[in-house]
Amino acid sequence: MTPKKIALLTDSSADLRWDQARENNIFFVPLRILCEDGEYLDGVNLTHKQFYEKMIETQVLPTTSQPSPYAFETAIRKIHEQGDIALIITISSKLSGTWQSANIAAAETGGEVYIVDSLNVAVGEKAIVEYALRMKDAGTDIHTIVDTLNREKENLRVIALLDTLEYLQKGGRISKKCRDCL
């Protein structure tokens, strides 16, 4: 019996380009972005450039919302229809309910689904997805991939430099007092 193939599924916060994902058969579930002028799906009908333009042009900052369990369930079912195992890598559960949505969907679909909380976002999450892709392409089995990702994600450190603290303050991540003292 031929072992099942592994299909990667991640959310749009992994900072992967859509063409890169398609080339590597990576499934995406977009986060929702709520703006003054409506709701968008990250990377589907709102590019990163457009998002940053909205941040600059608007008085009310855009907010994000986790994908629904249904969005994950739909993607998982497509993976299972191909006869593949689903390996889901999500944005940090400390930052979003995306990991929880993935778990709810996995319970609904049955079948083989493995979920890794990246404990990261953006470039950090992308690094974990790319590591999983390399292991998958090398023929590593699903259990070894999951165990390795869960172990190695603890060693990943992302450092970010910000041009301004304005958006952290507007978004409530830091106080105005803190912003002014830095």
Side-chain angles (χ1 to χ4, degrees), residues 18-151:
W18 288 91
D19 61 326
Q20 181 184 14
R22 274 192 298 276
E23 288 171 15
N24 292 293
N25 198 30
I26 298 173
F27 290 78
F28 261 114
V29 174
L31 272 70
R32 294 180 9 231
I33 300 174
L34 309 169
C35 299
E36 285 180 317
D37 63 348
E39 181 177 316
Y40 299 89
L41 295 176
D42 185 21
V44 176
N45 59 358
L46 186 70
T47 66
H48 288 160
K49 181 180 180 196
Q50 291 168 325
F51 173 77
Y52 290 117
E53 288 170 355
K54 286 184 182 295
M55 283 181 60
I56 292 166
E57 295 169 357
T58 184
Q59 293 300 313
V60 179
L61 284 181
T63 59
T64 60
S65 178
Q66 70 200 45
S68 68
Y70 179 75
F72 275 104
E73 185 178 336
T74 301
I76 292 167
R77 290 192 190 285
K78 287 179 185 174
I79 290 169
H80 287 163
E81 286 170 7
Q82 295 177 172
D84 296 342
I85 299 168
L87 172 56
I88 304 172
I89 301 171
T90 69
I91 183 176
S92 176
S93 61
K94 296 176 183 180
L95 299 173
S96 171
T98 300
W99 179 82
Q100 183 180 15
S101 288
N103 276 279
I104 291 168
E108 288 296 317
T109 61
E112 275 190 276
V113 180
Y114 298 84
I115 304 170
V116 174
D117 178 353
S118 75
L119 297 180
N120 276 276
V121 66
V123 71
E125 184 181 356
K126 178 182 180 178
I128 293 168
V129 171
E130 288 175 338
Y131 190 27
L133 181 62
R134 286 192 306 273
M135 287 189 287
K136 175 185 88 95
D137 289 347
T140 307
D141 69 273
I142 186 67
H143 298 288
T144 302
I145 293 173
V146 171
D147 290 345
T148 301
L149 294 177
N150 281 323
R151 183 179 60 250

